[in-house]
Amino acid sequence: MPTTVPRLLEEAHALRTSAIAVSCGAASMTHGELMAESNRIANALKACGVKRGDRVGVYLDKSIASLASLIGIMKADAVCVPLDPTGPVARMAFIVADCGVRVLITSGNKQGRLETLLADGGELDTVVVVGDRPLDLADASVRIVSAAQVAQASGTAPPRHALEGDLAYILYTSGSTGRPKGVMLTHRNIVAFVEWAARQFGVGPADRVSSHAPFHFDLSLFDLYVTLARGATVCLVPQGIGFLGVDLVKFIADNRITIWQSVPSVLMIVEKHIKERQTDLGALRVVFFAGEPYPPQALRGLMKKLPGARYFNIYGATEINDVTCHAIEHLPDDAPLPIGKPCGHMEVVVLDENDRPLTETGSIGELCARGPTVAKGYWGDPKMTAEKFVQNPVHDDYEDRLYRSGDLVEIRRGGVLAYVGRRDAQVKIRGYRINLREVEEAVLKHPEVAAVAVVDRVADDATRYLAAVVETTEGAELSLRALKRHLSESLPAYMAPETLEIVAELPKTSTGKVDRQALKAATDLEPAHP
């Protein structure tokens, strides 16, 4: 029998039927109840004509119902397309049209947005409703399967025909063209990742794993499927508290969380609200982060407050999931954290600008990866797929797919890799090539800077300049002159930002990262005094 995601979950269910699989606030489901509910959804989908390989959208707030829906879609041999429940309708409409979503699982609280989608020309054949609130659409051409009809479907698993190479998910990420791109993940991709991550972090039935990432973000694959496949408990972080430090600390304590994963910016929010020697967080044994660099001075504060946990820096991308891992034992200085060595299931190849492999210590090149978690490509975009998923130049005598990340890394002693920056994060200012991340790291070392994003802007005369958009520490009155004086100690003058813009909070994407596109588009930010 093929090893698919549903099969992994059913094997755990067989051993842990009555144990709690998922909790969300006061609500919870056992492994047995979750499997039965996902079976009902799968049977309801099949009853309305969903076939192997069909794309089914999930447009729900984070909840037990949305988790059951994702599993149910895969049990119906279909492909999960999670949609951002708080994102703009226009983006949802693009995704629905782009990958041909004809069936959508949603709830009554999304009625207004669905009405807008349909009124603007969005096309859906069937809407499957889960949850307590009913749905009544004005467009009579759309078939509605009510929550009551889903509840009446069989709780027995339907026959399945999906293979390891079939698609399980399409996750949409921001594209360089300004249009979202759909990354195609197979069952094999997810299963290989689950098996590695479960071993790496020792996930077992006693663990209680936080699910902070939204379900349309690739970090959620660990939270959901590694946890469930090992008979552990997924604790869903409610959408409303995702960036509220006091509430997140309380969530970790109340749910006795043992494993936490998020982007560093969220952990920095959490750290500010942890009290010294806060014993009710003592169950937390593993903290790992990914998605963006973690300033060492900020991480040092977290490690001091939570000394009993083990810490890991993970590097990856939606197209390859986790690729490198660095166990953090100590932080001797403020140098950027390395991203570590390749994970056990992956091989990393560092290529120079002529696509020749680099192996010597000190070499800098593009990180490329091969292995079982490399995605199938981009939905409906063979040109972009061909550019990013290429033949491995090391092996030209047989087919060997390699993903080009576009990220530059330095090879350090012992084969440890350090992230240098994006190829596209380099800009030219007056003929000088500048890496924006390097400037950000220098700005962050100023004691009055809490967070920063450096962007390049275009002046009225069409010349480019650097702007530092900064969140300051409480009560600080940072000036551009003081910042430049600080930067002069570590950067040449041409790398110093020419404007300083103070904001109450840097804009974030729905996944918690700094929204650099929003910053670059902003024109109403007031410069700070010189």
Side-chain angles (χ1 to χ4, degrees), residues 353-368:
E353 57 188 12
N354 297 311
D355 287 347
R356 293 175 302 205
L358 298 170
T359 57
E360 293 185 6
T361 300
S363 300
I364 294 177
E366 181 180 4
L367 184 149
C368 303

Side-chain angles (χ1 to χ4, degrees), residues 5 70 74 80 82 168-169 171 185-186 189-190 193-194 197 211 213-228 261 317-318 321:
V5 176
L70 292 168
M74 290 185 282
C80 303
Y169 263 71
L171 290 175
L185 302 178
T186 66
N189 294 152
I190 297 174
F193 168 68
V194 165
S211 172
F215 289 173
H216 62 281
F217 191 28
D218 64 298
L219 294 189
S220 68
L221 298 179
F222 173 89
D223 304 339
L224 305 182
Y225 302 121
V226 176
T227 305
L228 294 176
Q261 175 199 207
T318 305
N321 218 305

Side-chain angles (χ1 to χ4, degrees), residues 377-411:
Y378 300 110
W379 177 267
D381 195 341
K383 183 176 182 292
M384 176 70 74
T385 298
E387 290 175 359
K388 300 291 284 185
F389 298 85
V390 302
Q391 173 66 27
N392 185 353
V394 177
H395 303 138
D396 56 5
D397 52 343
Y398 59 89
E399 184 178 352
D400 184 14
R401 293 175 77 244
L402 193 70
Y403 172 71
R404 304 194 68 129
S405 71
D407 288 330
L408 300 175
V409 294
E410 178 185 358
I411 302 173

Side-chain angles (χ1 to χ4, degrees), residues 465-482:
Y465 66 96
L466 294 184
V469 187
V470 167
E471 289 178 33
T472 59
T473 56
E474 187 174 354
E477 293 186 1
L478 182 64
S479 68
L480 179 61
R481 185 178 296 111

